[in-house]
Amino acid sequence: MKRFQKSGSLRGSVLVFSLIILAFMLVSALSVATISLTEKRASFATEKSSRSFQVADTGVELMLQKIYGTPPYGDLDALANSFSSPTATCNSGEISQTLSTGVSYGVSFYDSASPPHLIACGDTSWRDSVRHIQSRGVSGHTIRVVSVGVRAPIPEPGVWNRRNKVLTIGTNFSCVILENGNIECWGDNDPDEYASGSSSPAIHLENGLYYSCGLIANGNTICGHNGEFGTENDYTSGSPDGLARKVSGAQGHKCTLYQSGNVRCEGTQNYYYAGGDATAVKTGGGASSSESCIITTGGTVLCSDNNGSPDSVPASVRYDGSGSNPPAMAIEMGDNFGCALLQDGRVDCWGTISGTYSGNDVIHIDSFFNAQHICGILASGDIKCWGTSSTGATNDYTGSDAIWLSLGVDYTCILKRDGSVACWGDNTEGQTDGYDPSTNGGIKALTVEAGQEHACAVLDNKDVVCWGNNHNGETNP
């Protein structure tokens, strides 16, 4: 097991950039969407409007910055009273703030009950019971709703909260965002790294098979591995579709979702989706296939397979969120399959994994782009898995204390409430060793990311620790 032990200013410098992101968002009046939110639950629209999306997302950012900040607040009334310019109020469990004429947001807090209960303004135990936050952004007559899960119980102020993904794991490499906004990578033929300069830190990472992509705070992206998807260290400018909101990579292609709601894919898939209504994008596929899917504002999942051509749109409807069907809120993809998390907590899958899990209690799903299984966190803190594995990677977990989930190719890792990491499945390279705070001076893990045959975790002292296959230095930052 290896720790991040870089010398000088780089040592222990992994940090969340919530304040930087928040300042940028308010100054520029443009939204860079928060992407990998803890136990991500939903993001859908009643009408198409980038402005109302921005307002809703701003509400989420403001609340998360407050509840993980200093000082702690005894109840939601106290949390609302901490806003001074403009002021905020808590009424019937909703904290609301008017930002300008006709522009406002309202944020509600819910517990883990089924169906979830609205937490009252005066509830002093809210930090222990909150499980997700719903933000309602209003701009004129248009409403946008964003709902995200949060880690509970909410830790004491100052603890990193995993709202953005600062760690990513590829086949035989690892990358992390440092405190200064730079991207540092290690392993086999390190993917292109990134130097942020003074004003544009990296805020989110995604990986493909042999490359890594970073989302930059100014809405640009940088991707690369020996020149793949552009020249090395190519810092791309904003597209005609506005700023990038998300990037997703797989074995031989990547897709970028823009502020306009359009999507552009490159590599083994090469097409441009101009529907203007995409709210999420995900890529997947193994050695012989590739697929990318989007979620539209209506909750429908559209996908394109190997036959995608330039300027074509995803042709296949994998899940129809119209009519009486609940909208899809998140998608995950693996090797020849995809799954959608639905608004009612069910999971609908297609491809080599097909059918619907009807438990109505899934709050987050995860897979790996060339894995053959998928798992979900249940509201109870248990784990439910589907798919194929000869090593036990699809075994369920019933400990009721899982707060985060990450899948490798044939193994599964979870972060527990006590800050430990447990993994199961294929252990031929030690990839299921996990992490135990009790044997590491009580230092807790804050997040975990699994890859092909190795995994890493960010610790609460801001170090990174890795285990598993180290044939190319991928666990040795």
Side-chain angles (χ1 to χ4, degrees), residues 50-75:
S50 60
R51 175 58 175 160
S52 53
F53 174 88
Q54 176 198 342
V55 175
D57 196 54
T58 297
V60 169
E61 286 292 331
L62 287 170
M63 288 303 140
L64 290 177
Q65 187 267 323
K66 284 282 188 178
I67 66 177
Y68 286 100
T70 302
Y73 301 99
D75 57 23

Side-chain angles (χ1 to χ4, degrees), residues 33-45:
T34 302
I35 298 170
S36 284
L37 296 152
T38 305
E39 298 173 6
K40 186 172 180 178
R41 178 65 175 156
S43 178
F44 63 95

Side-chain angles (χ1 to χ4, degrees), residues 183-214:
I183 298 173
E184 172 115 352
C185 300
W186 60 93
D188 182 35
N189 293 322
D190 300 353
D192 297 338
E193 299 182 355
Y194 168 70
S196 67
S198 60
S199 60
S200 298
I203 59 173
H204 181 78
L205 286 173
E206 287 288 343
N207 66 277
L209 185 64
Y210 297 116
Y211 66 92
S212 178
C213 290

Side-chain angles (χ1 to χ4, degrees), residues 366-448:
D366 190 67
S367 187
F368 192 70
F369 58 82
N370 59 351
Q372 296 182 350
H373 73 298
I374 186 169
C375 299
I377 300 179
L378 308 186
S380 63
D382 292 340
I383 301 294
K384 177 71 177 177
C385 298
W386 308 267
T388 302
S389 174
S390 60
T391 65
T394 55
N395 292 348
D396 295 337
Y397 174 79
T398 57
S400 301
D401 60 351
I403 59 174
W404 192 243
L405 170 71
S406 184
L407 271 60
V409 172
D410 196 25
Y411 67 104
T412 302
C413 291
I414 60 170
L415 175 66
K416 297 184 181 182
R417 189 169 289 114
D418 64 3
S420 64
V421 175
C423 304
W424 59 91
D426 181 18
N427 195 37
T428 56
E429 297 290 344
Q431 60 265 52
T432 64
D433 287 356
Y435 177 79
D436 185 357
S438 67
T439 60
N440 289 277
I443 300 171
K444 297 181 179 181
L446 297 175
T447 190
V448 61

Side-chain angles (χ1 to χ4, degrees), residues 242-379:
L243 305 183
R245 280 171 36 192
K246 184 171 183 182
V247 59
S248 181
Q251 179 145 339
H253 70 293
K254 76 172 182 75
C255 297
T256 304
L257 169 64
Y258 294 99
Q259 187 181 29
S260 64
N262 296 337
V263 175
R264 183 174 297 280
C265 296
E266 304 170 76
T268 54
Q269 290 202 347
N270 183 21
Y271 69 81
Y272 176 70
Y273 175 74
D277 59 352
T279 62
V281 62
K282 193 68 180 181
T283 56
S288 61
S289 67
S290 62
E291 187 176 44
S292 53
C293 296
I294 64 170
I295 299 178
T296 70
T297 53
T300 294
V301 177
L302 302 176
C303 299
S304 178
D305 56 19
N306 285 341
N307 296 322
S309 58
D311 300 320
S312 69
V313 301
S316 302
V317 177
R318 293 290 191 255
Y319 175 78
D320 184 3
S322 63
S324 61
N325 294 328
M329 302 181 301
I331 44 177
E332 280 293 333
M333 303 184 68
D335 188 359
N336 292 306
F337 75 88
C339 294
L341 174 60
L342 310 183
Q343 184 182 2
D344 61 3
R346 291 183 294 143
V347 178
D348 188 78
C349 300
W350 57 91
T352 54
I353 300 176
S354 60
T356 300
Y357 169 72
S358 56
N360 296 97
D361 57 353
V362 179
I363 60 176
H364 173 75
I365 56 176
D366 190 67
S367 187
F368 192 70
F369 58 82
N370 59 351
Q372 296 182 350
H373 73 298
I374 186 169
C375 299
I377 300 179
L378 308 186

Side-chain angles (χ1 to χ4, degrees), residues 16-95:
V16 168
F17 297 98
S18 56
L19 295 177
I20 297 174
I21 300 166
L22 180 61
F24 171 79
M25 202 183 318
L26 295 178
V27 171
S28 66
L30 293 172
S31 173
V32 176
T34 302
I35 298 170
S36 284
L37 296 152
T38 305
E39 298 173 6
K40 186 172 180 178
R41 178 65 175 156
S43 178
F44 63 95
T46 55
E47 291 183 48
K48 175 187 169 186
S49 172
S50 60
R51 175 58 175 160
S52 53
F53 174 88
Q54 176 198 342
V55 175
D57 196 54
T58 297
V60 169
E61 286 292 331
L62 287 170
M63 288 303 140
L64 290 177
Q65 187 267 323
K66 284 282 188 178
I67 66 177
Y68 286 100
T70 302
Y73 301 99
D75 57 23
L76 297 183
D77 279 322
L79 179 60
N81 291 335
S82 69
F83 291 90
S84 58
S85 182
T87 59
T89 58
C90 186
N91 294 298
S92 301
E94 182 183 76
I95 295 178

